DNA sequence: TAGATTGTTAATCGATTAACAATC
DNA sequence: TAGATTGTTAATCGATTAACAATC
């Protein structure tokens, strides 16, 4: 049963479901109906049922959804039941902040290497991982079969770096540089454009203050 | 002419237009047609024209759009022609990374204060701004009429902190904590849920490898 | 004036919501 | 069995794309 091409709108909501289900699980809640979840999450019960049914029937009529089961299923869908190796390219504050998220480790993301072009950082450690010269990146990625590269470098360097990464067989790039990367279709890219996000905030402040301009 | 309620889908695209127009401006490009922009940005020319026309006519038939004029107009729409004062709550790596973005200063975001609950950080400086005890936040925000608070603190602290911020008259919260904030409608919130973003990446890796599962 | 390209209306597509039959 | 709630189809809504008249 090939149930592919699920819209990115649906995918974008899965981590949020996952977050709420994790909270419920921790509180010891065993079962939940789409209506109850709807009240907590402020989305329609209909959307919740539609979203889950993209992946098969996780619920039971008259009962609702088993929280733990649903949580586990979503973690499988998201692929965070498996381990993913990851390197950080750019060991500045942002790179260090990301390396430091203990939650990522819990979700199966294993931090394997860090690279920078600043010689002062060579040999310093981020969570037991040594910062290496960026020239050693290609060999390291190939040798260790790294899946994900986190790009926390300035935008000028990001495009050529992405190109190099593709050459070493990387599977995915988590891009924090303020630039769009142009990579082949088989490479997954997820952008975090912080400046775009801040501009949206600015727009909304502005609009709220001057509603008819 | 009250032209309000522009969909967030449109708003989300504005910073990207702005980025590309900035690049074109730097390259010395004077005018551009929706079709040319479409080729560069990989969105339809139709969408470009529709998007801009939400805000009035910025182009000219038979000519296209003047790059500098369009750039300036979008910066006005986004409200980044004005200054916005900002404090960072949580002076860890993430907070420092954000404070360090020189681009934000260029876009009118003025970094006024930093707060943390770690006494070791009190008095240390981030870009000439002293880190203060988080207890002093409320007085500081009120006194200086701060508009935006950047929340780079753990999720447990984020909800009560947001509540406090609302009490001091903050206008907007840029939330990096992995939790949804519940604040009144007049407070603008923009979330950056990094773990959600990483899970989406994980999903896409997974789907690409196992397309029919 | 003729050609180019916008601004805008109409058509299409996709996503969300509503409704209800299936079923636990 | 009766009540509850899902899974799923149908209806609605909104966003994107296509088409073309307006106009520079």
């Amino acid at each position: 049963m090939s149930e592919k091409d699920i819209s990115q709108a649906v995918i974008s909501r899965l981590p949020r479901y996952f977050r709420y289900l994790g909270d419920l699980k921790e509180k010891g809640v065993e079962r939940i109906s789409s209506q109850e979840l709807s009240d907590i999450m402020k989305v329609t019960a209909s959307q919740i049922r539609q979203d889950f049914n993209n992946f098969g029937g996780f619920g039971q009529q008259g009962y609702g959804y088993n929280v733990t089961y649903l949580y586990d299923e979503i973690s499988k869908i998201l692929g965070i039941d498996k381990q993913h190796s990851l390197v950080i390219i750019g060991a500045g504050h942002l790179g260090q902040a990301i390396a430091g998220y203990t939650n990522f480790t819990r979700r199966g993301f294993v931090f394997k290497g860090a690279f920078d072009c600043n010689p002062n950082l060579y040999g310093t450690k981020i969570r037991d991982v040594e910062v290496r010269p960026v020239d050693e990146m290609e060999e390291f990625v190939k040798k260790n079969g790294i899946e994900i590269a986190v790009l926390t470098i300035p935008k000028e360097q990001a495009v050529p770096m992405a190109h190099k990464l593709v050459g070493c067989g990387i599977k995915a790039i988590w891009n924090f540089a303020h630039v769009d990367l142009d990579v082949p279709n088989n490479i997954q890219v997820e952008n975090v454009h912080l400046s775009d996000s801040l501009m949206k905030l600015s727009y909304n402040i502005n609009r709220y203050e001057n509603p008819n301009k």
Side-chain angles (χ1 to χ4, degrees), chain A:
Chain A
M1 48 158 177
S2 145
E3 15 140 316
K4 55 182 160 178
D5 270 12
I6 287 152
S7 86
Q8 287 292 318
V10 175
I11 309 310
S12 298
R13 287 192 289 265
L14 291 180
R16 187 156 180 265
Y17 290 130
F18 185 71
R19 194 147 36 85
Y20 277 84
L21 288 165
D23 290 348
L24 287 165
K25 206 165 84 115
E26 252 174 42
K27 281 189 200 143
V29 178
E30 252 181 40
R31 55 179 261 200
I32 192 151
S33 70
S34 57
Q35 188 52 59
E36 288 169 304
L37 200 52
S38 157
D39 294 338
I40 302 172
M41 293 187 64
K42 317 257 173 73
V43 294
T44 63
S46 198
Q47 180 165 74
I48 292 172
R49 294 203 297 277
Q50 287 278 22
D51 281 350
F52 293 164
N53 272 81
N54 280 302
F55 305 95
F58 296 150
Q60 200 166 68
Q61 283 100 329
Y63 171 88
Y65 299 88
N66 178 289
V67 171
T68 303
Y69 176 70
L70 188 54
Y71 178 87
D72 289 343
E73 286 302 312
I74 293 179
S75 96
K76 280 184 214 162
I77 294 166
L78 289 171
I80 51 180
D81 59 328
K82 303 195 193 81
Q83 293 211 329
H84 295 287
S85 57
L86 165 162
V87 294
I88 292 178
I89 302 177
H93 283 304
L94 187 54
Q96 290 186 49
I98 289 164
Y101 278 131
T102 50
N103 257 6
F104 290 168
T105 316
R106 273 209 298 145
R107 300 282 178 256
F109 299 97
V110 187
F111 172 40
K112 288 275 184 81
F115 299 89
D116 207 288
C117 58
N118 178 355
N120 295 330
L121 293 173
Y122 300 165
T124 61
K125 288 200 165 179
I126 302 177
R127 302 183 103 234
D128 296 329
V129 169
E130 202 182 315
V131 178
R132 296 158 200 266
V134 76
D135 304 327
E136 298 177 13
M137 182 278 291
E138 294 184 80
E139 202 195 322
F140 186 94
V141 167
K142 278 183 199 163
K143 201 164 159 184
N144 295 280
I146 301 295
E147 292 179 276
I148 304 173
V150 184
L151 280 194
T152 48
I153 54 180
K155 67 173 177 174
E156 298 76 27
Q157 295 162 34
V159 173
M161 183 59 73
H163 186 74
K164 270 191 197 173
L165 284 163
V166 171
C168 330
I170 204 88
K171 285 183 187 167
I173 297 175
W174 198 18
N175 176 39
F176 286 77
H178 301 173
V179 66
D180 297 328
L181 304 176
D182 186 25
V183 298
N185 270 341
N186 59 327
I187 313 292
Q188 310 306 317
V189 175
E190 171 76 20
N191 292 303
V192 180
H193 290 320
L194 293 182
S195 56
D196 290 15
S197 167
L198 186 54
M199 287 183 202
K200 262 199 280 178
L201 187 66
S202 170
Y203 173 88
N204 284 319
I205 295 173
N206 210 31
R207 269 284 136 155
Y208 185 78
E209 292 181 344
N210 315 302
N212 351 317
K213 211 208 64 183

